[in-house]
Amino acid sequence: MTTTLALVTGANKGIGYATARQLAASGMTVLLGARDETRGREAERALRADGADVRFVPLDVTDAESVAAAAKLVEREYGRLDVLVNNAGIVRADGTALPSETTLATLREVYETNVFGVVAVTNALLPLLLRASAARIVNVSSEVGSIAVMTDPQGALFGLTSVPYPSSKTALNMVTAMYAKELWDTPVKVNAANPGYCATDFNGHSGFRTAEQGAEVSVHLATLPADGPSGLLWGYRMDNGGDYGVLPW
């Protein structure tokens, strides 16, 4: 293959779908990962109708057999992977979302997708990413995973107290930093993306940014040049007038 190959998890809708569209528009071949085959096929058809070079790949990040099968498909059909966007994620909360109302069942459910799933997919595909000349790994995180942002009494997010989703993104940030350290002396760059509060099914379309705007962050990190950074949380800065930049951990 001479084209750049990207895989996006949770790509059948929302920010993942917009990310797949934008990566394809940049000239990449995009593997559209989704656990729901019907929705995945629909997304594939829609993007192909717009001229995108995309292919649906069944992928449930919480299912070890599904992850292994996806990795085998990529190896068999393409032999390498240039870009991995770990976009799949879920949000859950109990009661009024106070920490004291959090159940372990909800916490485990969120971590299965938002943290464990990222590690499983990354480890399964890392050998193929290392075969690329300069691979990029993008973990879609959130500003609510930034302890500094969430504990600022003057910040817009100080009133948010939920444990499952924010803590899962804090954990994901550390996961990102550790992979960046392991791969520091390789051409692989690993970063966490903050798309901002985007209007998607994720939040009942209550966000003030579009999915397309959110996808811009992942696409930027997926296409970093050789001298680009690694090991950062980067993206929308609510505390800086909406500019893009590095967020504090």
Side-chain angles (χ1 to χ4, degrees), residues 147-236:
I147 295 176
V149 169
M150 291 288 279
T151 56
D152 178 4
Q154 306 305 317
L157 297 175
F158 189 71
L160 181 60
T161 57
S162 178
V163 169
Y165 183 75
S167 71
S168 76
K169 293 304 184 181
T170 303
L172 179 60
N173 290 344
M174 181 60 79
V175 167
T176 301
M178 294 301 103
Y179 276 103
K181 286 172 63 177
E182 177 182 352
L183 299 167
W184 196 260
D185 294 324
T186 77
V188 182
K189 297 186 184 301
V190 190
N191 290 287
N194 175 39
Y197 192 43
C198 300
T200 66
D201 289 349
F202 209 66
N203 51 42
H205 294 269
S206 61
F208 54 82
R209 283 167 55 78
T210 66
E212 289 72 22
Q213 289 173 321
E216 289 174 356
V217 178
S218 292
V219 171
H220 173 82
L221 294 173
T223 56
L224 286 172
D227 61 351
S230 188
L232 297 178
L233 172 59
W234 187 93
Y236 181 80

Side-chain angles (χ1 to χ4, degrees), residues 58-92:
L59 179 53
D60 180 346
V61 303
T62 68
D63 185 298
E65 291 184 0
S66 177
V67 171
K72 288 179 181 178
L73 182 151
V74 177
E75 180 170 24
R76 181 177 66 251
E77 300 291 333
Y78 304 100
R80 73 163 205 280
L81 184 65
D82 298 284
V83 172
L84 170 61
V85 181
N86 285 307
N87 169 82
I90 62 172
V91 61
R92 299 285 189 274

